[in-house]
């Protein structure tokens, strides 16, 4: 599943391509991808409006419309957004297409069909998307070691699992939790309630730094993004531990270990991230 750096990269490459363009028509090939309201109402309400900007909240994309309405999208595991010319070959699992002014289309494809759209009318309470349950953004001013300690410091769960709790920190998934813990030199199985004030402060510093680093590395041009069909995330060469179990640690040379924590894989260095 794409995490905060990938979603932010998608936002940045898609937004300039649709901003100011009107929705002339919508084709819905699979109505179930529209979770709220009905697919027919979704199309009727949006048609004729134009996109003003794209926001991001955690792993959600928020496509803002000229009326003040908002189209919320969660890509889930395999969802993909592409801006294409009208004559560009359509992907096999294309479920929804916004036909835009200027001879372009905004297409949503999803092999596993888990991605969902919601339309929130201006002033409508969001009781649908789940965004209200999200915790703080890692780049917000209030994000600190004290915040982390207050919300996670009494938990007996492994710190790896705690970092994945979207109700506390939004946007971190399996990939970047490994990278963050490695950079912080904290063992992923450490119970959260054993971390010191210094370690919470370290995490509060490393989390936004690592995420910002990977946002930058995922930068792409519209041409490159389209050629790769939206799947060319550029983080792989810069991942230090995730996906490298059994390989030498890039810092000390010890063998990286892969374990399972809470049903999720985790890779760490037994020397750099010693269990305490």
């Amino acid at each position: 599943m794409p995490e905060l750096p990938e979603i932010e990269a998608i936002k940045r490459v898609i937004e300039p391509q649709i901003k100011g363009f009107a929705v002339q028509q919508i084709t819905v090939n699979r109505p179930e991808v529209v979770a709220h309201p009905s697919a027919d109402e979704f199309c009727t309400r949006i048609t004729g409006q134009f996109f003003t900007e794209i926001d991001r909240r955690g792993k959600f994309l928020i496509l803002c419309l000229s009326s003040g309405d908002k189209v919320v999208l969660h890509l889930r595991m395999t969802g993909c957004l592409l801006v294409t010319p009208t004559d560009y070959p359509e992907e096999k699992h294309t479920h929804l297409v916004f036909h835009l002014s200027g001879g372009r289309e905004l297409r949503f494809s999803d092999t596993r069909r888990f991605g969902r759209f919601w339309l929130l009318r201006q002033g409508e309470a969001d009781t649908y998307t789940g965004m209200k349950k999200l915790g703080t953004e890692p780049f917000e001013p209030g994000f600190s070691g004290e915040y982390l300690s207050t919300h996670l410091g009494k938990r007996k769960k492994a710190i790896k699992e705690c970092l994945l709790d979207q109700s506390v920190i939004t946007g971190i998934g399996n990939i970047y939790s490994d990278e963050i813990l490695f950079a912080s030199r904290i063992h992923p199985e450490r119970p959260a309630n054993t971390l010191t004030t210094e370690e919470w402060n370290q995490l509060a510093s490393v989390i936004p730094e690592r995420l910002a680093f990977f946002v930058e590395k995922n930068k792409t041009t519209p041409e490159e993004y389209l050629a790769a069909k939206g799947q060319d995330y550029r983080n792989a060469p810069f991942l230090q531990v995730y996906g490298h179990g059994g390989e030498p640690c890039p810092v000390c040379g010890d063998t990286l270990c892969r374990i399972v924590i809470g049903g999720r894989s985790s890779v760490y260095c037994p020397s750099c991230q010693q269990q305490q």
Side-chain angles (χ1 to χ4, degrees):
M1 177 186 293
E3 302 179 26
L4 186 155
E6 288 74 43
I7 299 301
E8 182 66 24
I10 292 168
K11 170 191 174 297
R12 294 183 183 187
V13 76
I14 295 291
E15 182 180 44
Q17 299 184 78
I18 68 170
K19 188 174 181 178
F21 288 91
V23 180
Q24 297 179 327
Q25 183 183 345
I26 303 174
T27 299
V28 180
N29 296 321
R30 285 196 168 271
E32 64 267 27
V33 304
V34 180
H36 171 78
S38 68
D40 286 344
E41 186 178 346
F42 180 90
C43 296
T44 300
R45 178 71 184 180
I46 295 172
T47 300
Q49 298 196 53
F50 62 86
F51 292 112
T52 59
E53 62 180 331
I54 300 180
D55 292 330
R56 180 194 55 75
R57 180 75 170 100
K59 301 176 187 179
F60 290 85
L61 287 170
I62 306 165
L63 286 64
C64 302
L65 295 162
S66 48
S67 68
D69 295 349
K70 296 179 179 179
V71 177
V72 179
L73 167 62
H74 200 301
L75 298 174
R76 302 284 166 82
M77 297 293 292
T78 57
C80 176
L81 276 182
L82 287 179
V83 178
T84 74
T86 55
D87 60 353
Y88 193 81
E90 192 171 283
E91 293 300 296
K92 181 179 179 182
H93 299 283
T94 298
H95 305 317
L96 191 148
V97 179
F98 297 91
H99 304 272
L100 306 180
S101 57
R104 60 182 63 184
E105 296 177 350
L106 176 63
R107 301 176 181 176
F108 171 72
S109 61
D110 188 1
T111 304
R112 299 187 68 179
R113 306 178 188 172
F114 294 151
R116 289 294 181 268
F117 285 86
W118 298 264
L119 172 63
L120 300 177
R121 300 181 65 161
Q122 184 180 27
E124 182 179 8
D126 181 8
T127 59
Y128 308 99
T129 68
M131 287 194 297
K132 281 192 171 183
K133 298 178 181 178
L134 296 178
T136 190
E137 290 276 337
F139 303 122
E140 288 179 358
F143 188 74
S144 64
E146 182 180 2
Y147 172 84
L148 292 175
S149 177
T150 298
H151 289 81
L152 300 175
K154 294 181 180 180
R155 297 189 183 184
K156 297 180 180 180
K157 279 188 174 182
I159 186 60
K160 162 84 175 190
E161 290 185 84
C162 292
L163 291 182
L164 301 179
D165 185 343
Q166 301 299 300
S167 71
V168 178
I169 318 165
T170 182
I172 300 175
N174 210 36
I175 296 173
Y176 298 113
S177 56
D178 277 1
E179 295 298 307
I180 287 162
L181 290 170
F182 177 72
S184 303
R185 302 178 70 88
I186 296 173
H187 194 288
E189 286 185 308
R190 281 273 303 280
N193 63 0
T194 68
L195 268 64
T196 65
T197 299
E198 182 180 355
E199 287 172 321
W200 287 120
N201 290 335
Q202 173 76 351
L203 278 173
S205 174
V206 168
I207 287 170
E209 184 279 324
R210 285 288 82 190
L211 294 176
F213 173 82
F214 283 104
V215 167
E216 184 66 22
K217 294 305 179 186
N218 273 320
K219 282 175 63 175
T220 185
T221 67
E223 294 77 17
E224 292 168 334
Y225 182 81
L226 180 58
K229 299 180 180 179
Q231 301 299 322
D232 184 22
Y233 301 131
R234 303 185 170 204
N235 59 7
F238 306 98
L239 296 172
Q240 294 188 291
V241 291
Y242 179 83
H244 293 289
E247 300 177 19
C249 171
V251 173
C252 72
D254 199 356
T255 302
L256 297 174
C257 297
R258 179 188 178 279
I259 56 176
V260 176
I261 302 173
R264 308 293 295 275
S265 68
S266 187
V267 179
Y268 71 99
C269 174
S271 295
C272 295
Q273 299 165 265
Q274 293 185 15
Q275 181 68 280
Q276 296 182 10

